[in-house]
Amino acid sequence: MLILAFPDYCAPAERLACRLNAPFELIELHRFPDGESLVRLPAVLPDHVIVCRSLDRPNDKLVELMLFARTARELGAKRVTLVTPYLCYMRQDIANRPGEAVSQRIVGRLLADLFDDVLTVDPHLHRISHLNQAIPLANAVCLSAAGAIGDYLSNRFEDAILLGPDSESEQWVSGIAAQIGFDYAVADKIRRGDREVDVTLPDKEFKDKLVVIIDDMASTGRTLARTIGLLQNAGARAVYAAITHPLFCGDAEAHIRAAGVKEIWSTDSIEHPTSCIKLDALLSEAVRSIL
Ligand code: R5P
């Protein structure tokens, strides 16, 4: 078995290789001036290769993964596994208007055609309950960072209120609360546009309380910023944010910080200065379980 990484996700992939006690090599990547990619793998591959790459900002990365997987097979790999801690295109799961591409199904099918196994962490599945409904593979494995986030929070606080900003976050916030014995609540959110959300806090006393907002991702940061602002108005002593996937598009982080968050913690599903919660233990256990 060999663990391979693209240069944009080298350190987490190397941590995974260390945990698995497996050899590690970097895939060479060159982007030509016209935007095309050149992907170069080690010329000799073992039967099983595992590529570890997150699919944030995914469009180029998907093409490069396709070049990688087809080349790996041409070079003799019998089993090609994708470990993608952040999996893209899972949110668009229906055509909201006639003619719209259902990206979840199309990208899922593409990955199933390229790989024998796909492992990911907390994909944003809304209307389906199992990852293999999106990626039709026997080994489409969905892991959760909730345990790692819970461990991190329990080392930081003796007590705090955990708050999910919308009903979709309840699955993570309730799980973490049960794991570490903290109180939790869930707000209501209405999304009015890409960068416009209305949030209503639940009927709960936040005055003088430490509050940790838990969410699966921060994209534009508007959900977090709005919720932080409301908690400040409600008199919270300090507001923190713990998120799984720090996408942080454009001015997202600045917006969240300007809202008054005390600290932001995220996992290394996407590498970012806030990525202090490492997932290599979770990922290596999952890889072992499919060997
Ligand atoms: C939505 O359902 C997700 O759980 C996140 O709350 C959302 O994607 C965050 O997006 P943004 O940072 O753009 O508000």
Side-chain angles (χ1 to χ4, degrees), residues 2 15 80 85 131 133 142 183 187-188 197-198 211 222 275 279:
L2 172 66
R15 284 195 285 277
V80 185
L131 185 60
Q133 294 169 267
C142 188
D183 191 9
D188 262 343
V197 294
D198 285 344
V211 184
R222 269 43 182 186
S275 300
L279 296 177

Side-chain angles (χ1 to χ4, degrees), residues 91 124 166 168 189 191 215-217 219-223:
R91 281 177 282 183
H124 198 97
D166 53 32
E168 287 179 349
K189 180 173 88 182
R191 182 170 287 283
D215 208 356
D216 63 333
M217 64 176 76
S219 176
T220 67
R222 269 43 182 186
T223 299

